[in-house]
């Protein structure tokens, strides 16, 4: 048989087998088993190795997940991860998606979670949280986090150019000009305002009051070693706003200790985050709690942890929470203890992993609030 016909037959047979969802691992054995058998028995042609290699290469090119030996043809064609969504977006809008950190959703989660706690606590006893409010606040968190990142990058353009981790940000790299960023910021804030105006008047006034923090936070790292405290005051505003959106006003006996606990939580996770950049911050003259605490970071984080948990206990008492809530608090405390006492402040990768794990911590607390409320 002509080598070209052999190649086509091999390809056709492989297509037929792959069509039924089988793995491509049979291809890896093809040259070592089937072909060798043919040569031994004399019932098949002698096929050049280069021909088989071309067949394998062509088949692998059909799908990115079709790797020889262990990858199956049945894998998903598309990934729904945030980085994949940004990467697959049109080239013209991709820098704007990166500017609002859509490819790094952890910041949106950390802004959104205090809102969910407050909305969950404000629900009537025995009821689930308002799904409509959770959706509104989720959209608002995405927009406001994006706006905050845009403001931050506009302020920090010159600093970002000097740090390898941030040098590729769209404004620092020149992909987006300051004017374009300003227009984009206006669009984000306009959409966020539209969501805010959907709430009651009390919540509109309360939400508008947070804008001074959103705008000035990026400047704090230039003038104080406590920018993480200002970030905490900014990021946890939803602990106040979520309750007022549901109930029409704040119950300060619940909202204030919840807000305080959220601020302590931010001091924990953002101090851990700041240890990734401490060497660069020293060189360019920026400040952070990571530099302020230095080798005493763990005792400071432990103190913030105790303060956070004390505030959450007070929230539970004043909101008349039930057993599942306090069980969730125990799990949250264990999660924090693991973060703090296994942290290696000199390993950026460990700092990042600990920082990202706070999403799960926030979800645990939200689950405790919901189940505790249903238990009532």
């Amino acid at each position: 048989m002509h080598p070209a016909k052999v190649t086509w037959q091999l390809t056709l047979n492989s297509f037929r087998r792959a069509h039924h969802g089988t793995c491509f691992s049979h291809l890896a054995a093809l040259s070592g088993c089937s072909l060798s058998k043919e040569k031994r028995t004399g019932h098949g042609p002698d096929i050049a190795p280069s021909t088989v290699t071309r067949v394998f290469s062509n088949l692998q090119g059909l799908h990115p997940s079709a790797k020889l030996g262990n990858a199956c043809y049945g894998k998903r064609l598309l990934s729904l991860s945030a980085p994949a969504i940004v990467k697959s977006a049109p080239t013209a809008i991709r820098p704007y998606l990166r500017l609002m950190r859509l490819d790094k959703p952890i910041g949106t989660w950390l802004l959104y979670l205090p809102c969910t706690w407050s909305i969950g606590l404000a629900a009537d006893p025995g009821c689930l949280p308002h799904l409509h409010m959770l959706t509104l606040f989720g959209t608002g968190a995405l927009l406001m986090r994006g706006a905050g990142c845009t403001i931050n990058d506009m302020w920090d353009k010159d600093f970002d150019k000097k740090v390898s981790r941030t040098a590729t940000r769209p404004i620092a790299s020149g992909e987006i000009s300051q004017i374009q960023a300003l227009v984009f910021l206006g669009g984000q804030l306009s959409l966020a305002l539209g969501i805010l105006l959907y709430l009651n008047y009390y919540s509109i006034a309360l939400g508008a009051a947070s804008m001074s923090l959103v705008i000035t936070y990026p400047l704090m790292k230039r003038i104080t070693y406590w920018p993480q405290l200002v970030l905490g005051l900014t990021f946890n505003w939803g602990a106040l706003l979520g309750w007022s959106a549901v109930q029409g006003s704040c119950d300060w006996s619940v909202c204030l200790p919840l807000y305080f606990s959220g601020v302590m939580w931010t001091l924990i996770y953002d101090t851990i985050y700041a240890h990734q950049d401490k060497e660069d911050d020293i060189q360019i003259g920026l400040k952070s709690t990571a530099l302020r605490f230095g080798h005493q970071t763990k005792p400071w984080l432990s103190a913030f942890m105790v303060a956070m948990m004390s505030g959450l206990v007070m929230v539970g008492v004043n909101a008349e929470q039930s057993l599942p809530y306090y069980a969730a608090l125990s799990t949250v405390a264990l999660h924090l203890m693991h973060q703090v006492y296994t942290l290696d402040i000199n390993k950026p990768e460990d700092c990042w992993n600990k920082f990202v794990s706070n999403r799960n911590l926030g979800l645990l607390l939200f689950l405790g609030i919901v189940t505790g409320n249903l238990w009532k």
Side-chain angles (χ1 to χ4, degrees):
M1 186 182 295
H2 194 276
K5 293 184 179 179
V6 173
T7 301
W8 169 247
Q9 188 62 43
L10 284 170
T11 304
L12 184 60
N13 290 340
S14 297
F15 266 132
R16 287 170 179 165
R17 298 179 68 180
H19 179 70
H20 295 289
T22 58
C23 292
F24 271 79
S25 56
H26 71 279
L27 293 175
L30 187 59
S31 60
C33 298
S34 301
L35 296 180
S36 298
K37 182 178 179 181
E38 289 174 349
K39 291 174 68 175
R40 288 197 305 270
T41 59
H43 295 304
D46 193 0
I47 302 174
S50 59
T51 303
V52 177
T53 302
R54 286 198 303 272
V55 177
F56 293 160
S57 299
N58 291 337
L59 287 172
Q60 280 189 283
L62 295 174
H63 190 279
S65 66
K67 296 178 181 177
L68 293 178
N70 58 8
C72 291
Y73 184 78
K75 280 193 175 183
R76 292 181 302 172
L77 289 172
L78 295 175
S79 172
L80 294 180
S81 68
I85 291 173
V86 172
K87 191 174 292 186
S88 63
T91 305
I93 67 170
R94 202 177 301 160
Y96 294 95
L97 300 181
R98 287 171 44 227
L99 178 60
M100 64 185 298
R101 308 288 198 276
L102 196 63
D103 56 332
K104 297 177 180 177
I106 180 61
T108 303
W109 276 108
L110 296 175
L111 179 61
Y112 177 50
L113 285 165
C115 306
T116 68
W117 304 343
S118 189
I119 293 170
L121 287 164
D124 294 332
C127 296
L128 290 169
H130 288 253
L131 180 60
H132 184 59
M133 284 297 174
L134 289 173
T135 304
L136 276 179
F137 274 76
T139 306
L142 181 67
L143 291 169
M144 286 306 298
R145 193 263 179 138
C149 291
T150 303
I151 294 170
N152 182 82
D153 288 7
M154 290 174 70
W155 282 120
D156 289 354
K157 179 185 69 171
D158 295 331
F159 289 115
D160 286 345
K161 291 177 180 179
K162 301 175 183 178
V163 179
S164 57
R165 188 175 64 84
T166 59
T168 58
R169 287 179 176 174
I171 298 178
S173 64
E175 291 180 86
I176 296 177
S177 68
Q178 289 278 38
I179 297 298
Q180 290 173 320
L182 185 61
V183 173
F184 183 57
L185 174 62
Q188 292 176 92
L189 292 177
S190 297
L191 291 173
L193 178 61
I195 292 175
L196 184 63
L197 292 176
Y198 189 84
L199 307 179
N200 55 67
Y201 291 124
Y202 185 99
S203 299
I204 292 173
L206 187 62
S210 68
M211 281 308 301
S212 59
L213 290 169
V214 173
I215 294 171
T216 59
Y217 157 69
L219 297 174
M220 294 298 107
K221 66 188 77 172
R222 296 165 169 80
I223 61 178
T224 178
Y225 281 100
W226 291 86
Q228 280 69 30
L229 176 59
V230 183
L231 179 66
L233 296 172
T234 307
F235 254 50
N236 292 281
W237 204 259
L240 308 176
L241 195 57
W243 184 289
S244 72
V246 175
Q247 296 289 349
S249 62
C250 285
D251 181 344
W252 296 109
S253 68
V254 176
C255 293
L256 277 182
L258 183 66
Y259 183 58
F260 171 79
S261 297
V263 173
M264 294 299 104
W265 182 44
T266 303
L267 279 167
I268 294 170
Y269 68 66
D270 208 56
T271 297
I272 293 173
Y273 180 88
H275 271 286
Q276 298 177 102
D277 297 332
K278 55 191 175 184
E279 294 180 2
D280 290 323
D281 288 345
I282 292 172
Q283 292 179 2
I284 60 182
L286 297 180
K287 301 176 175 65
S288 70
T289 49
L291 296 177
R292 170 66 178 81
F293 302 154
H295 293 295
Q296 295 300 310
T297 291
K298 288 190 177 183
W300 278 96
L301 296 185
S302 299
F304 297 146
M305 178 177 63
V306 171
M308 175 185 175
M309 298 311 301
S310 300
L312 290 175
V313 170
M314 187 180 298
V315 168
V317 171
N318 293 340
E320 300 179 352
Q321 271 289 344
S322 57
L323 181 62
Y325 173 81
Y326 295 104
L329 286 194
S330 300
T331 308
V332 167
L334 290 173
H335 194 297
L336 284 171
M337 290 172 63
H338 178 266
Q339 277 191 60
V340 172
Y341 295 113
T342 63
L343 174 66
D344 188 338
I345 60 174
N346 296 314
K347 288 186 176 180
E349 184 177 337
D350 185 58
C351 292
W352 172 256
N353 290 334
K354 295 294 194 304
F355 168 71
V356 171
S357 73
N358 281 278
R359 183 197 64 172
N360 295 337
L361 184 152
L363 290 171
L364 278 171
L365 181 54
F366 176 61
L367 180 63
I369 290 171
V370 173
T371 55
N373 204 48
L374 291 174
W375 187 281
K376 289 182 182 180

